[in-house]
Amino acid sequence: MTGVLAAVEGNVTAIGYGLAAIGPGIGVGIIFGQGVNAMARQPELIGTIRTNMMLGFVLTEALALIGLVAPFLFKSV
């Protein structure tokens, strides 16, 4: 019976990371979708929009990396 609980515990971590990756995935889609929309509406601001878009992308991806590392940090607790 303990082997079954250990197998479930490992899968819970994988499921938790999968759920944690949904938010940043949606965020990246929104960032790039709205960025392309803004570039199409105001082509003269492409440099500024692209810079802001990359900054948003980096910050959003940091959430995915935190979601990847957090289970390993809290597993020993």
Side-chain angles (χ1 to χ4, degrees):
M1 188 67 170
T2 350
V4 173
L5 291 176
V8 170
E9 182 179 329
N11 291 335
V12 170
T13 303
I15 291 171
Y17 175 65
L19 292 174
I22 290 173
I26 292 170
V28 167
I30 290 172
I31 287 170
F32 283 107
Q34 295 298 321
V36 169
N37 189 13
M39 287 180 200
R41 290 176 182 261
Q42 294 189 350
E44 66 275 4
L45 294 176
I46 285 180
T48 304
I49 294 169
R50 185 178 297 135
T51 301
N52 290 336
M53 201 168 64
M54 288 299 148
L55 180 63
F57 170 72
V58 168
L59 293 174
T60 305
E61 280 300 311
L63 292 174
L65 292 176
I66 290 170
L68 176 65
V69 173
F72 296 112
L73 291 176
F74 296 124
K75 188 173 185 179
S76 63
V77 172

